[in-house]
Amino acid sequence: MSDTDKNYKAWADLVGLVLTDLTVDPREEGLNPADFDDLFKLSHAEQVKVTGLTVRGGGLQKENCIDMNRLCRDVEIINARLEAGQQNAITIKGGCRDIHLSAITIERAGGHCDIELGNWSDQSWDPVTGVVLTNVCRADGKPVRVRVGHADAPVIVGGNVKILFWGSLYLKTYWNLKWATRKFFGGKLKFLMP
């Protein structure tokens, strides 16, 4: 993986974004989802409301359907259908806070988990806080698998959500090792990182 992600649709450094009835699918433009890391990316975005979102990549995208990073604030995603990527359906990292995901259906299971909170971010070492998952489920009826790393545990309302204990412990350990090598060794101990 390169240091810079290649995202299909990305919104950065903005306040007050409203999106309604949006379908995100690179194949509609004749593009291969496998050429992208994330299909829907928010970075340093505040006061965002997305209603009626569909993200499709056939599970071919290298990472996630939705990626939020770099201090996103007050984001609400309501009524979404997601085909998880090779990593997750949703990842929220980099000090994002006050994120509300409501009526989300994950149509394809991701690799590591379905939702990941607080993975490593080079843009911010702040924890992820204030995530609320309301009526989040998987189309196959299995529990939505959530890993919690450098983040507070989400508030879960309804739906079918399971916090992965071992996956969360691994993610917390990974984040702390990355932080320590960056802080104390300038990132020179890369052999410790997968």
Side-chain angles (χ1 to χ4, degrees), residues 5 7 9-12 17 37-50 53 55 63-78 80 82 88-102 104 115-124 126-133 150-151:
D5 280 356
N7 303 303
K9 298 287 182 183
W11 293 267
L17 175 68
D37 295 297
D38 305 305
L39 297 184
F40 183 98
K41 174 84 172 204
L42 293 174
S43 178
H44 195 246
E46 298 182 28
Q47 299 169 14
V48 174
K49 185 170 185 177
V50 181
L53 174 66
V55 181
E63 294 181 10
N64 313 291
C65 283
I66 297 174
D67 184 322
M68 286 183 238
N69 191 11
R70 206 167 59 95
L71 305 169
C72 289
R73 303 277 192 263
D74 301 314
V75 175
E76 198 174 6
I77 299 178
I78 303 165
L82 310 173
N88 313 304
I90 302 167
T91 189
I92 303 170
K93 59 190 177 188
C96 293
R97 73 170 191 227
D98 301 326
I99 311 297
H100 189 183
L101 306 175
S102 179
I104 307 294
I115 298 174
E116 189 169 68
L117 306 176
N119 199 342
W120 179 257
S121 170
D122 289 323
Q123 288 78 35
S124 173
D126 292 343
V128 170
T129 60
V131 174
V132 179
L133 306 175
H150 189 56

Side-chain angles (χ1 to χ4, degrees), residues 156-168:
I156 301 168
V157 180
N160 186 4
V161 177
K162 176 183 178 182
I163 305 293
L164 300 176
F165 174 79
W166 292 111
S168 296

Side-chain angles (χ1 to χ4, degrees), residues 6 24 34 73 106 110 141 164 181:
K6 182 177 179 187
V24 176
R73 303 277 192 263
I106 298 169
L164 300 176
T181 59

